[in-house]
Amino acid sequence: MKKPPSSNKRHLDGIIWIAADVHLGPEGPKTALGFYEFLDDAAQCCDTLILCGDIFNAWIGDDQIYDPDPWLAKALQELKNSAVESRSI
């Protein structure tokens, strides 16, 4: 029986960018603008973008799924706009 691949060992080809602990929230509009510019650059310049840590400074629960605060709706739309392909690793 073949052993399944380890979940802590991944091979990703190309240029990899990583962003962590951005803490997007309503109190940091300059941070948000900088992150949106980063997303635009990443869509053009890297093959893989890894987002880890606290990207949002919020608890994203059921109430936020259907009626997100305006800042969160904007952040999610920016992520969606910059995404070419997404996958969970």
Side-chain angles (χ1 to χ4, degrees):
M1 177 183 242
K2 186 176 179 182
K3 183 178 176 182
S6 173
S7 63
N8 66 353
K9 295 179 183 176
R10 299 283 183 204
H11 176 78
L12 300 171
D13 292 321
I15 298 170
I16 301 167
W17 287 14
I18 300 172
D21 297 314
V22 180
H23 294 277
L24 294 177
E27 63 283 337
K30 289 182 181 178
T31 300
L33 289 175
F35 184 66
Y36 303 154
E37 290 176 10
F38 170 80
L39 290 176
D40 288 341
D41 290 345
Q44 301 299 316
C45 299
C46 73
D47 299 298
T48 301
L49 173 61
I50 299 172
L51 301 176
C52 51
D54 297 325
I55 300 303
F56 302 106
N57 195 23
W59 171 254
I60 311 300
D62 292 341
D63 56 331
Q64 291 290 345
I65 292 172
Y66 299 107
D67 188 24
D69 292 337
W71 72 268
L72 181 55
K74 168 86 171 139
L76 292 171
Q77 187 61 49
E78 291 289 336
L79 282 168
K80 182 179 175 182
N81 291 347
S82 68
V84 176
E85 173 188 341
S86 65
R87 65 182 174 168
S88 177
I89 60 169

XYZ file of all heavy atoms in Angstrom:
693
model
N 0.835 -1.175 0.000
C 0.000 0.000 0.000
C 0.886 1.248 0.000
O 1.811 1.357 0.801
C -0.929 -0.028 1.209
C -1.794 1.193 1.330
S -2.814 1.127 2.820
C -4.397 1.123 2.068
N 0.604 2.167 -0.908
C 1.387 3.398 -1.016
C 0.996 4.378 0.086
O -0.182 4.603 0.348
C 1.151 4.027 -2.385
C 2.020 5.216 -2.641
C 1.818 5.754 -4.050
C 2.683 6.964 -4.271
N 2.493 7.539 -5.594
N 2.004 4.934 0.716
C 1.795 5.906 1.785
C 1.294 7.222 1.171
O 1.856 7.697 0.176
C 3.100 6.127 2.536
C 2.996 7.049 3.712
C 4.331 7.170 4.429
C 4.241 8.161 5.550
N 5.524 8.334 6.219
N 0.250 7.868 1.748
C -0.237 9.149 1.213
C 0.806 10.242 1.411
O 1.620 10.173 2.335
C -1.500 9.423 2.024
C -1.378 8.608 3.249
C -0.508 7.427 2.904
N 0.799 11.249 0.539
C 1.771 12.335 0.691
C 1.555 13.094 1.997
O 0.436 13.222 2.471
C 1.496 13.233 -0.517
C 0.122 12.888 -0.960
C -0.121 11.469 -0.559
N 2.641 13.559 2.550
C 2.580 14.326 3.789
C 1.925 15.670 3.518
O 2.195 16.322 2.503
C 3.993 14.540 4.332
O 3.962 15.417 5.428
N 1.078 16.113 4.428
C 0.410 17.400 4.245
C 1.326 18.579 4.559
O 0.981 19.717 4.282
C -0.848 17.473 5.111
O -0.474 17.393 6.479
N 2.493 18.325 5.131
C 3.402 19.424 5.422
C 4.544 19.519 4.404
O 5.485 20.264 4.595
C 3.955 19.329 6.841
C 4.848 18.125 7.037
O 4.968 17.274 6.167
N 5.482 18.055 8.201
N 4.434 18.749 3.325
C 5.447 18.808 2.267
C 4.739 19.023 0.943
O 4.036 18.157 0.453
C 6.258 17.517 2.214
C 7.088 17.269 3.448
C 7.834 15.972 3.332
C 8.606 15.690 4.617
N 9.257 14.388 4.556
N 4.910 20.195 0.385
C 4.301 20.533 -0.901
C 5.377 21.063 -1.831
O 6.306 21.744 -1.403
C 3.224 21.609 -0.753
C 2.073 21.221 0.117
C 1.169 20.294 -0.642
N 0.019 19.998 0.195
C -0.700 18.929 0.067
N -0.411 18.042 -0.839
N -1.722 18.712 0.852
N 5.224 20.764 -3.080
C 6.115 21.308 -4.090
C 5.300 22.279 -4.943
O 4.305 21.890 -5.540
C 6.693 20.203 -4.967
C 7.536 20.738 -6.079
N 8.829 21.170 -5.866
C 7.262 20.958 -7.380
C 9.312 21.629 -7.015
N 8.380 21.502 -7.936
N 5.710 23.513 -4.943
C 5.046 24.533 -5.749
C 6.063 25.093 -6.731
O 7.149 25.519 -6.338
C 4.492 25.650 -4.860
C 3.464 25.236 -3.817
C 3.162 26.391 -2.870
C 2.197 24.740 -4.478
N 5.709 25.087 -7.993
C 6.598 25.620 -9.017
C 6.425 27.124 -9.154
O 5.378 27.680 -8.852
C 6.288 24.958 -10.368
C 6.645 23.486 -10.386
O 7.685 23.123 -9.809
O 5.886 22.702 -10.976
N 7.461 27.762 -9.652
C 7.375 29.173 -9.986
C 7.632 30.096 -8.812
O 8.172 29.711 -7.776
N 7.197 31.327 -8.976
C 7.399 32.388 -7.984
C 6.276 32.317 -6.960
O 5.101 32.298 -7.307
C 7.422 33.763 -8.667
C 8.594 33.823 -9.652
C 7.498 34.881 -7.642
C 8.580 35.022 -10.561
N 6.658 32.306 -5.689
C 5.701 32.185 -4.595
C 5.785 33.439 -3.731
O 6.864 33.829 -3.299
C 6.006 30.943 -3.739
C 5.946 29.689 -4.606
C 5.045 30.862 -2.561
C 6.536 28.461 -3.948
N 4.644 34.062 -3.500
C 4.545 35.187 -2.572
C 3.715 34.738 -1.382
O 2.771 33.956 -1.516
C 3.870 36.381 -3.219
C 4.692 37.121 -4.236
C 5.843 36.715 -4.833
C 4.389 38.402 -4.788
N 6.280 37.661 -5.715
C 5.407 38.703 -5.709
C 3.368 39.310 -4.598
C 5.429 39.893 -6.439
C 3.386 40.490 -5.322
C 4.411 40.785 -6.229
N 4.051 35.279 -0.210
C 3.336 34.944 1.017
C 2.946 36.238 1.726
O 3.752 37.161 1.842
C 4.214 34.095 1.959
C 4.616 32.789 1.278
C 3.484 33.819 3.279
C 5.636 31.970 2.034
N 1.697 36.285 2.187
C 1.237 37.400 3.030
C 0.632 36.798 4.284
O -0.093 35.809 4.230
C 0.201 38.248 2.295
N 0.934 37.400 5.410
C 0.418 36.886 6.680
C 0.085 38.033 7.618
O 0.706 39.091 7.577
C 1.456 35.969 7.335
N -0.910 37.784 8.448
C -1.273 38.703 9.530
C -1.484 40.139 9.045
O -0.967 41.090 9.613
C -0.224 38.660 10.649
C -0.159 37.288 11.286
O -1.235 36.729 11.574
O 0.951 36.759 11.480
N -2.276 40.295 8.007
C -2.567 41.617 7.457
C -3.552 42.366 8.352
O -3.472 43.579 8.498
C -3.115 41.497 6.015
C -3.429 42.858 5.432
C -2.112 40.760 5.139
N -4.477 41.664 8.963
C -5.473 42.238 9.881
C -6.306 43.337 9.225
O -6.423 44.441 9.750
C -4.817 42.755 11.164
C -4.217 41.680 11.995
N -4.953 40.932 12.878
C -2.961 41.184 12.048
C -4.175 40.044 13.461
N -2.956 40.166 12.971
N -6.892 43.027 8.069
C -7.775 43.987 7.415
C -8.989 44.260 8.298
O -9.583 43.348 8.853
C -8.268 43.439 6.077
C -7.228 43.243 4.988
C -7.878 42.619 3.762
C -6.562 44.548 4.629
N -9.332 45.515 8.414
C -10.499 45.895 9.205
C -10.893 47.327 8.908
O -10.190 48.048 8.190
N -12.006 47.773 9.478
C -12.502 49.119 9.182
C -11.597 50.228 9.711
O -11.630 51.345 9.212
C -13.876 49.153 9.858
C -13.806 48.120 10.929
C -12.882 47.050 10.396
N -10.757 49.906 10.679
C -9.900 50.939 11.272
C -8.568 51.121 10.553
O -7.764 51.944 10.957
C -9.647 50.644 12.757
C -8.908 49.361 13.044
C -9.753 48.100 12.927
O -10.969 48.163 13.045
O -9.150 47.042 12.679
N -8.345 50.380 9.455
C -7.072 50.482 8.742
C -7.230 50.648 7.246
O -6.800 49.772 6.485
N -7.821 51.752 6.784
C -8.030 51.903 5.339
C -6.737 51.948 4.527
O -6.698 51.462 3.402
C -8.826 53.206 5.203
C -8.573 53.945 6.477
C -8.316 52.904 7.526
N -5.666 52.497 5.085
C -4.394 52.530 4.350
C -3.811 51.123 4.223
O -3.229 50.786 3.191
C -3.402 53.470 5.030
C -3.762 54.931 4.890
C -2.732 55.815 5.530
C -3.131 57.278 5.404
N -2.163 58.160 6.054
N -3.973 50.319 5.255
C -3.534 48.926 5.186
C -4.298 48.197 4.096
O -3.717 47.441 3.306
C -3.750 48.224 6.546
O -2.983 48.904 7.538
C -3.354 46.765 6.485
N -5.601 48.426 4.044
C -6.438 47.769 3.035
C -6.007 48.172 1.630
O -5.845 47.313 0.751
C -7.911 48.107 3.258
N -5.805 49.457 1.398
C -5.380 49.906 0.067
C -4.043 49.294 -0.329
O -3.853 48.862 -1.465
C -5.303 51.431 0.011
C -6.648 52.161 0.028
C -6.429 53.673 0.099
C -7.477 51.798 -1.191
N -3.114 49.245 0.612
C -1.822 48.622 0.341
C -1.961 47.142 0.025
O -1.289 46.625 -0.868
N -2.849 46.463 0.735
C -3.062 45.041 0.484
C -3.712 44.823 -0.874
O -3.355 43.891 -1.589
C -3.909 44.428 1.600
C -4.092 42.937 1.460
C -3.011 42.082 1.585
C -5.338 42.400 1.199
C -3.169 40.711 1.454
C -5.515 41.036 1.074
C -4.427 40.183 1.203
N -4.646 45.675 -1.261
C -5.285 45.539 -2.576
C -4.264 45.753 -3.694
O -4.294 45.060 -4.709
C -6.453 46.506 -2.730
C -7.524 46.357 -1.669
C -8.330 47.427 -1.319
C -7.724 45.151 -1.001
C -9.308 47.295 -0.349
C -8.696 45.019 -0.022
C -9.493 46.102 0.297
O -10.453 45.980 1.255
N -3.352 46.686 -3.513
C -2.272 46.880 -4.489
C -1.374 45.647 -4.539
O -0.952 45.223 -5.612
C -1.456 48.128 -4.140
C -2.204 49.421 -4.372
C -1.410 50.643 -3.929
O -0.207 50.512 -3.615
O -2.001 51.734 -3.901
N -1.085 45.082 -3.383
C -0.299 43.851 -3.305
C -0.992 42.733 -4.073
O -0.345 41.992 -4.822
C -0.105 43.465 -1.831
C 0.476 42.100 -1.626
C 1.839 41.888 -1.750
C -0.337 41.020 -1.308
C 2.389 40.613 -1.554
C 0.198 39.747 -1.112
C 1.568 39.557 -1.242
N -2.314 42.599 -3.917
C -3.059 41.570 -4.650
C -2.964 41.779 -6.157
O -2.794 40.821 -6.915
C -4.530 41.556 -4.217
C -4.830 41.049 -2.816
C -6.315 41.203 -2.514
C -4.393 39.604 -2.642
N -3.079 43.035 -6.596
C -2.953 43.330 -8.030
C -1.569 42.934 -8.534
O -1.440 42.327 -9.598
C -3.190 44.821 -8.303
C -4.644 45.233 -8.147
O -5.532 44.342 -8.185
O -4.888 46.439 -7.983
N -0.535 43.288 -7.774
C 0.829 42.928 -8.159
C 1.012 41.410 -8.170
O 1.630 40.852 -9.077
C 1.850 43.554 -7.200
C 1.950 45.061 -7.342
O 1.459 45.608 -8.356
O 2.517 45.693 -6.435
N 0.470 40.742 -7.166
C 0.607 39.290 -7.080
C -0.049 38.605 -8.269
O 0.501 37.634 -8.810
C -0.002 38.775 -5.777
N -1.193 39.108 -8.697
C -1.887 38.506 -9.836
C -1.037 38.588 -11.103
O -1.129 37.723 -11.970
C -3.234 39.194 -10.061
N -0.180 39.592 -11.190
C 0.663 39.787 -12.361
C 2.046 39.152 -12.234
O 2.650 38.787 -13.239
C 0.846 41.287 -12.636
C -0.444 42.035 -12.877
C -1.190 41.523 -14.083
O -0.601 41.274 -15.128
N -2.486 41.327 -13.938
N 2.544 39.021 -11.003
C 3.959 38.701 -10.820
C 4.276 37.342 -10.205
O 5.433 36.925 -10.249
C 4.611 39.771 -9.947
S 4.541 41.427 -10.655
N 3.314 36.686 -9.615
C 3.654 35.415 -8.980
C 2.771 34.289 -9.499
O 1.704 34.525 -10.049
C 3.596 35.513 -7.457
S 1.956 35.611 -6.742
N 3.266 33.083 -9.304
C 2.521 31.899 -9.717
C 1.632 31.378 -8.590
O 0.599 30.776 -8.841
C 3.496 30.801 -10.153
C 4.333 31.251 -11.329
O 3.752 31.536 -12.387
O 5.566 31.334 -11.187
N 2.050 31.599 -7.367
C 1.303 31.131 -6.210
C 1.321 32.217 -5.141
O 2.374 32.770 -4.831
C 1.931 29.849 -5.620
O 1.954 28.840 -6.629
C 1.160 29.344 -4.426
N 0.155 32.512 -4.602
C 0.036 33.439 -3.478
C -0.512 32.652 -2.295
O -1.570 32.032 -2.393
C -0.909 34.594 -3.815
C -1.263 35.547 -2.672
C -0.016 36.233 -2.126
C -2.297 36.561 -3.126
N 0.210 32.685 -1.203
C -0.213 31.995 0.003
C -0.613 33.044 1.025
O 0.176 33.919 1.371
C 0.913 31.100 0.561
C 1.287 30.029 -0.470
C 0.495 30.484 1.889
C 2.502 29.220 -0.101
N -1.860 32.965 1.490
C -2.357 33.857 2.529
C -2.486 33.040 3.807
O -3.165 32.020 3.838
C -3.720 34.430 2.150
C -3.780 35.220 0.844
C -5.204 35.644 0.550
C -2.856 36.429 0.907
N -1.820 33.477 4.851
C -1.890 32.743 6.113
C -1.988 33.727 7.270
O -1.797 34.922 7.109
C -0.701 31.802 6.262
S 0.903 32.552 5.998
N -2.304 33.211 8.414
C -2.468 34.073 9.572
C -3.792 34.802 9.508
O -4.723 34.388 8.826
N -3.885 35.882 10.208
C -5.122 36.658 10.288
C -5.163 37.695 9.163
O -4.666 38.802 9.312
C -5.222 37.367 11.639
C -5.283 36.384 12.795
O -5.894 35.320 12.611
O -4.727 36.684 13.857
N -5.755 37.317 8.050
C -5.905 38.268 6.946
C -6.947 39.317 7.321
O -6.800 40.498 7.058
C -6.287 37.545 5.643
C -5.209 36.538 5.246
C -6.543 38.544 4.513
C -3.818 37.128 5.063
N -8.021 38.875 7.957
C -9.091 39.781 8.391
C -9.021 39.959 9.895
O -8.783 39.011 10.630
C -10.464 39.209 8.016
C -10.621 38.949 6.562
C -10.599 37.656 6.073
C -10.774 39.991 5.669
C -10.736 37.405 4.723
C -10.909 39.750 4.310
C -10.891 38.462 3.837
N -9.257 41.159 10.353
C -9.310 41.446 11.775
C -10.771 41.342 12.214
O -11.385 42.315 12.639
C -8.749 42.829 12.074
C -8.460 43.018 13.544
O -8.269 42.051 14.260
N -8.434 44.259 13.987
N -11.338 40.152 12.021
C -12.750 39.945 12.321
C -13.021 38.463 12.474
O -12.290 37.631 11.938
C -13.610 40.502 11.194
N -14.069 38.164 13.188
C -14.562 36.797 13.253
C -15.566 36.659 12.122
O -16.574 37.369 12.087
C -15.227 36.513 14.592
C -15.933 35.199 14.591
C -17.280 35.003 14.530
C -15.339 33.906 14.598
N -17.573 33.667 14.510
C -16.385 32.958 14.552
C -14.031 33.431 14.631
C -16.159 31.590 14.551
C -13.817 32.062 14.630
C -14.866 31.172 14.600
N -15.278 35.792 11.172
C -16.159 35.601 10.025
C -17.107 34.448 10.365
O -16.790 33.283 10.172
C -15.359 35.295 8.738
C -14.232 36.293 8.543
C -16.290 35.249 7.546
C -14.644 37.728 8.406
N -18.254 34.794 10.895
C -19.251 33.800 11.265
C -20.407 33.802 10.281
O -20.373 34.464 9.241
N -21.436 33.067 10.617
C -22.599 32.952 9.732
C -23.216 34.303 9.386
O -23.663 34.520 8.270
C -23.667 32.061 10.369
C -23.223 30.615 10.467
O -22.278 30.234 9.738
O -23.814 29.870 11.260
N -23.255 35.208 10.354
C -23.875 36.506 10.088
C -23.110 37.295 9.032
O -23.692 38.050 8.259
C -23.991 37.327 11.373
C -22.650 37.522 12.075
O -21.768 36.647 11.939
O -22.492 38.539 12.762
N -21.795 37.125 8.960
C -20.983 37.843 7.979
C -21.091 37.255 6.582
O -20.791 37.928 5.606
C -19.523 37.870 8.419
C -19.272 38.727 9.631
C -19.422 40.210 9.341
O -19.442 40.651 8.207
N -19.556 40.987 10.380
N -21.497 36.008 6.474
C -21.604 35.381 5.155
C -22.711 36.036 4.340
O -22.566 36.303 3.153
C -21.847 33.861 5.294
C -20.608 33.184 5.862
C -22.234 33.245 3.958
C -20.806 31.730 6.210
N -23.844 36.297 4.974
C -25.013 36.800 4.244
C -25.129 38.312 4.237
O -25.751 38.876 3.353
C -26.286 36.176 4.822
C -26.278 34.673 4.686
C -26.092 33.854 5.788
C -26.400 34.073 3.438
C -26.055 32.476 5.662
C -26.356 32.694 3.294
C -26.191 31.901 4.414
O -26.145 30.547 4.277
N -24.548 38.967 5.210
C -24.655 40.425 5.299
C -23.348 41.004 5.837
O -23.304 41.515 6.953
C -25.832 40.791 6.207
C -26.138 42.273 6.189
O -25.793 42.943 5.196
O -26.708 42.762 7.180
N -22.271 40.931 5.035
C -20.984 41.411 5.546
C -20.952 42.936 5.689
O -21.620 43.659 4.958
C -19.991 40.949 4.477
C -20.798 40.821 3.236
C -22.180 40.427 3.681
N -20.165 43.383 6.652
C -19.927 44.816 6.779
C -19.325 45.326 5.471
O -18.642 44.570 4.760
C -18.960 45.098 7.926
C -19.559 44.787 9.290
O -20.798 44.781 9.418
O -18.778 44.528 10.229
N -19.530 46.607 5.136
C -19.020 47.136 3.854
C -17.520 46.914 3.644
O -17.092 46.554 2.556
C -19.366 48.620 3.915
C -20.557 48.686 4.813
C -20.340 47.609 5.836
N -16.703 47.114 4.679
C -15.255 46.931 4.513
C -14.928 45.480 4.184
O -14.031 45.209 3.385
C -14.494 47.383 5.763
C -14.654 46.468 6.935
C -15.592 46.577 7.920
C -13.908 45.296 7.219
N -15.458 45.531 8.807
C -14.432 44.721 8.400
C -12.839 44.645 6.603
C -13.931 43.562 8.969
C -12.331 43.486 7.168
C -12.867 42.958 8.338
N -15.660 44.533 4.790
C -15.401 43.128 4.546
C -15.868 42.720 3.150
O -15.184 41.981 2.445
C -16.087 42.268 5.610
C -15.886 40.765 5.502
C -14.408 40.398 5.478
C -16.602 40.058 6.634
N -17.011 43.237 2.734
C -17.497 42.961 1.378
C -16.483 43.450 0.347
O -16.202 42.769 -0.642
C -18.857 43.618 1.160
N -15.912 44.629 0.575
C -14.898 45.188 -0.336
C -13.655 44.297 -0.354
O -13.111 43.990 -1.418
C -14.541 46.602 0.109
C -13.325 47.214 -0.539
C -13.651 47.886 -1.827
C -12.432 48.660 -2.315
N -12.230 48.531 -3.724
N -13.185 43.887 0.820
C -11.987 43.045 0.900
C -12.208 41.713 0.182
O -11.338 41.252 -0.569
C -11.597 42.806 2.354
N -13.356 41.105 0.407
C -13.646 39.828 -0.254
C -13.741 39.996 -1.770
O -13.279 39.144 -2.526
C -14.933 39.228 0.312
C -14.846 38.768 1.768
C -16.235 38.393 2.280
C -13.879 37.614 1.920
N -14.323 41.105 -2.223
C -14.414 41.361 -3.661
C -13.036 41.569 -4.268
O -12.753 41.092 -5.371
C -15.315 42.569 -3.939
C -15.599 42.790 -5.407
C -16.325 41.623 -6.050
O -17.317 41.141 -5.529
N -15.824 41.149 -7.176
N -12.154 42.268 -3.566
C -10.785 42.476 -4.053
C -10.048 41.145 -4.169
O -9.331 40.908 -5.145
C -10.021 43.434 -3.144
C -10.501 44.862 -3.190
C -10.170 45.575 -4.496
O -9.217 45.190 -5.202
O -10.884 46.546 -4.805
N -10.222 40.272 -3.189
C -9.608 38.945 -3.265
C -10.154 38.173 -4.464
O -9.401 37.559 -5.220
C -9.876 38.152 -1.986
C -9.028 38.511 -0.783
C -9.597 37.866 0.474
C -7.587 38.080 -0.987
N -11.452 38.231 -4.648
C -12.085 37.533 -5.766
C -11.594 38.090 -7.098
O -11.299 37.339 -8.028
C -13.601 37.668 -5.664
C -14.355 36.943 -6.737
C -15.854 37.110 -6.541
C -16.605 36.485 -7.684
N -18.062 36.680 -7.543
N -11.495 39.407 -7.214
C -11.052 40.034 -8.465
C -9.628 39.662 -8.832
O -9.284 39.583 -10.010
C -11.159 41.558 -8.369
C -12.587 42.042 -8.327
O -13.522 41.310 -8.604
N -12.761 43.287 -7.928
N -8.779 39.459 -7.835
C -7.374 39.178 -8.118
C -7.104 37.688 -8.303
O -6.021 37.308 -8.727
C -6.485 39.721 -7.005
O -6.700 38.999 -5.816
N -8.070 36.860 -7.995
C -7.871 35.408 -8.061
C -7.936 34.912 -9.500
O -8.852 35.223 -10.230
C -8.908 34.690 -7.229
N -6.936 34.166 -9.880
C -6.939 33.482 -11.160
C -7.419 32.064 -10.932
O -8.290 31.552 -11.603
C -5.522 33.491 -11.788
C -5.487 32.705 -13.066
C -5.067 34.926 -12.008
N -6.847 31.423 -9.953
C -7.213 30.077 -9.550
C -6.921 29.977 -8.066
O -5.913 30.481 -7.603
C -6.379 29.049 -10.305
C -6.574 27.629 -9.842
C -5.573 26.667 -10.481
O -4.981 27.005 -11.513
O -5.384 25.607 -9.902
N -7.795 29.372 -7.343
C -7.505 29.188 -5.925
C -7.659 27.721 -5.585
O -8.430 27.001 -6.189
C -8.425 30.044 -5.057
O -9.760 29.598 -5.206
N -6.855 27.296 -4.642
C -6.947 25.935 -4.151
C -6.453 25.914 -2.723
O -5.668 26.743 -2.310
C -6.154 24.968 -5.029
C -4.675 25.250 -4.976
C -3.905 24.337 -5.864
N -2.522 24.798 -5.847
C -1.541 24.129 -6.323
N -1.744 22.977 -6.882
N -0.318 24.590 -6.273
N -6.902 24.964 -2.015
C -6.483 24.796 -0.637
C -5.323 23.821 -0.606
O -5.372 22.778 -1.239
C -7.667 24.251 0.169
O -7.260 24.028 1.491
N -4.265 24.200 0.125
C -3.138 23.275 0.251
C -2.924 22.925 1.688
O -3.321 23.589 2.578
C -1.849 23.816 -0.383
C -1.433 25.129 0.285
C -2.008 23.990 -1.856
C -0.053 25.568 -0.093
